[in-house]
Amino acid sequence: MTTVYERRTAPPVVPAPRRSPAGAVLGLLWAGAAGAVALWWADTGSVVGAAGWLTGVGRMAGLLCGYACAVLVGLMARVPLLERRVGSDRVARWHAMAGRYTVCLLVVHVVFILLGYAAQDRASVVHETVTVVLDYPDMLKATFGAVILFAVGITSARAARRRLSYEFWYYVHLLTYAAVFLSFFHQLSLGDEFSGHTGATAAWYALYLGVAALVLWYRIVVPVRLNLRHRLRVESVHPEAPGVYSVVVRGHRVEELGAQAGQFFRWRFFGEGMGWTSTPYSLSAPPRRDRLRITVKALGDHSAAVSLLRPGARVWAEGPYGSLTAERRTGQRSLLIAAGIGITPLRALFETLPGEVTLLYRARSTQDLALGAELDAIARWRGARVLYALNGPQGQRPLLGPEFLREAVPDLAGHDVYICGPHAFAQDVYGALRAAGVPDRRIHHESFEL
């Protein structure tokens, strides 16, 4: 069964293309790292002996680690400038990279500081470790914080993530806040860079308090205000394909959310044990005055329970997020390439993108074409094209290589291309598009893998 979802009589007016501020944001982050190094440099005189060098490296790594902790939390504060202009997937990749840097810097800081102190006191590393942890101010709290950060890093490794449920990973990840809080105080009480330096101390407080304010506002205050104002509830649930269901959510003044086709929300459904975690699902149709729709494939415990939702169930939403929108286009011709449940944001874009639009949908069989009837209806209504790439009779997978794409879409290099699907699929398609002559600036992709 395919949901019949009210369609507009004409594509809506979409915002003009805007340039991503990603470069400026990255430049600002690296400038902050340079500032942390400058703090160490300004407070460091001549370095003498092995103990001095070891301690110096440990101090610099500690400053950078402290700065990276603030960046780590700030990137996940869900600031609209980052989530909607830079893109949630790119910010998540920055967060993952910052996490790896943080753990590596933490290891360097701990190892080199302990080796330097041990060399300075002419004591064993074990004795020095016990002394530092138990006798130095705020070090016991910092030790607990370091253990938590290591745990978060281990559970975030790709090999571990494949074996852990999303819910377990999510709650372990939330402990990052506790780790950063526990580790903060020893930076000021033991850091030579802050002792007697009022300006440096004030800047460090401003950094951490600023990040805390972002988290408090965008992860707590804004979502609470949104849900109290719009009072979202499940209106209906419809099967679309095997294991795929659409959920229509109704609320008050939904248009004031400012959501665009291609974006997603983080959803928490109060029913069927789904209220403990929030999960990102894309809008599978353009937002209406009082309704939103998502389409979900059963890939885990949370998504599998979507089919059990009943009308009237309360919904907690956060968003909208994501930059896979019409604002990223650079011209008037677009190619949308979807695989599997990646069709959801592209189905919404297929209805609303201005200009000439072609949709290429990759699926195993006709039974797996979620929202297929809607796609055909939209294509007829707006005079667009839908191409289906299905497995052959013996299960042969179609090759979406450069030759196929150039033949299927004349003047491919002049199109904006939107890609949504599994990470491996998106990488293969990206390579094929580049080989076919499509400029990188015209290829738009957002991954929703967590």
Side-chain angles (χ1 to χ4, degrees):
M1 173 181 177
T2 299
T3 306
V4 177
Y5 195 74
E6 175 190 357
R7 203 167 61 246
R8 301 177 189 269
T9 57
V13 176
V14 296
R18 291 194 293 178
R19 188 173 181 178
S20 169
V25 173
L26 276 179
L28 184 63
L29 294 179
W30 283 113
V37 174
L39 276 180
W40 171 83
W41 180 267
D43 190 68
T44 301
S46 59
V47 180
V48 179
W53 282 104
L54 291 169
T55 305
V57 171
R59 284 175 54 206
M60 183 168 62
L63 273 173
L64 287 171
C65 183
Y67 172 73
C69 282
V71 170
L72 194 68
V73 174
L75 288 175
M76 285 291 101
R78 298 176 185 169
V79 179
L81 173 68
L82 300 179
E83 296 284 338
R84 302 175 192 175
R85 296 286 308 282
V86 174
S88 296
D89 66 324
R90 182 180 290 183
V91 173
R93 289 196 297 271
W94 290 354
H95 173 76
M97 183 179 296
R100 290 190 287 271
Y101 285 156
T102 302
V103 173
C104 291
L105 288 167
L106 179 59
V107 171
V108 173
H109 170 61
V110 171
V111 170
F112 278 76
I113 281 289
L114 291 176
L115 288 175
Y117 284 2
Q120 181 178 300
D121 296 340
R122 300 183 186 279
S124 69
V125 175
V126 174
H127 178 272
E128 196 66 34
T129 300
V130 173
T131 301
V132 168
V133 171
L134 297 181
D135 296 342
Y136 282 44
D138 298 313
M139 271 307 303
L140 193 57
K141 290 184 291 187
T143 301
F144 282 118
V147 171
I148 293 173
L149 277 178
F150 281 129
V152 172
I154 291 171
T155 56
S156 297
R158 183 165 296 180
R161 280 290 292 116
R162 294 194 187 103
R163 293 169 173 80
L164 299 175
S165 69
Y166 170 76
E167 289 77 13
F168 180 82
W169 171 86
Y170 176 80
Y171 284 110
V172 170
H173 220 65
L174 287 180
L175 293 175
T176 301
Y177 296 120
V180 173
F181 175 78
L182 290 170
S183 302
F184 173 75
F185 299 99
H186 91 288
Q187 300 174 42
L188 298 178
S189 60
L190 295 175
D192 292 341
E193 295 79 10
F194 304 108
S195 179
H197 297 82
T198 306
T201 302
W204 213 247
Y205 266 112
L207 172 65
Y208 273 79
L209 290 176
V211 168
L214 290 176
V215 171
L216 177 64
W217 182 256
Y218 289 113
R219 296 204 65 159
I220 298 178
V221 175
V222 170
V224 168
R225 187 176 62 180
L226 181 156
N227 287 279
L228 289 177
R229 180 176 180 81
H230 298 287
R231 291 172 283 171
L232 302 174
R233 290 186 179 270
V234 173
E235 180 180 84
S236 58
V237 180
H238 307 277
E240 300 287 4
V244 179
Y245 291 84
S246 283
V247 181
V248 178
V249 175
R250 180 180 290 273
H252 298 269
R253 300 185 293 270
V254 171
E255 73 279 2
E256 295 178 7
L257 289 169
Q260 300 180 48
Q263 291 188 310
F264 68 94
F265 287 76
R266 288 180 171 88
W267 303 90
R268 193 187 303 268
F269 298 99
F270 292 95
E272 308 303 329
M274 301 172 68
W276 293 102
T277 56
S278 62
T279 304
Y281 297 125
S282 296
L283 298 176
S284 61
R288 308 306 191 207
R289 183 179 60 82
D290 60 351
R291 284 184 293 170
L292 301 170
R293 189 186 74 176
I294 59 174
T295 301
V296 180
K297 183 175 178 62
L299 298 173
D301 294 341
H302 191 280
S303 55
V306 165
S307 64
L308 304 177
L309 289 171
R310 295 292 177 261
R314 291 175 54 216
V315 179
W316 183 276
E318 299 176 39
Y321 302 121
S323 64
L324 197 69
T325 65
E327 292 181 354
R328 296 180 70 170
R329 77 194 193 285
T330 62
Q332 290 300 311
R333 288 176 295 177
S334 303
L335 169 63
L336 313 180
I337 305 180
I341 200 59
I343 189 60
T344 53
L346 299 193
R347 181 266 179 239
L349 282 170
F350 189 47
E351 180 177 339
T352 57
L353 271 178
E356 178 186 318
V357 183
T358 300
L359 172 66
L360 174 59
Y361 187 2
R362 166 79 182 95
R364 286 191 295 267
S365 65
T366 54
Q367 289 75 27
D368 296 308
L369 293 173
L371 309 174
E374 288 186 21
L375 298 174
D376 292 336
I378 293 170
R380 290 192 298 269
W381 161 64
R382 65 173 298 172
R385 289 198 304 156
V386 181
L387 307 174
Y388 296 110
L390 307 177
N391 289 357
Q394 306 302 318
Q396 311 96 310
R397 296 170 60 89
L399 180 62
L400 305 184
E403 296 80 10
F404 171 85
L405 294 172
R406 277 195 295 256
E407 182 178 345
V409 184
D411 190 25
L412 176 63
H415 285 66
D416 282 289
V417 184
Y418 291 77
I419 309 170
C420 193
H423 184 65
F425 168 83
Q427 282 188 317
D428 291 343
V429 170
Y430 175 83
L433 289 167
R434 295 292 288 124
V438 181
D440 180 75
R441 63 185 175 86
R442 288 182 176 270
I443 303 175
H444 316 300
H445 169 243
E446 202 161 51
S447 171
F448 299 96
E449 292 191 348
L450 297 171

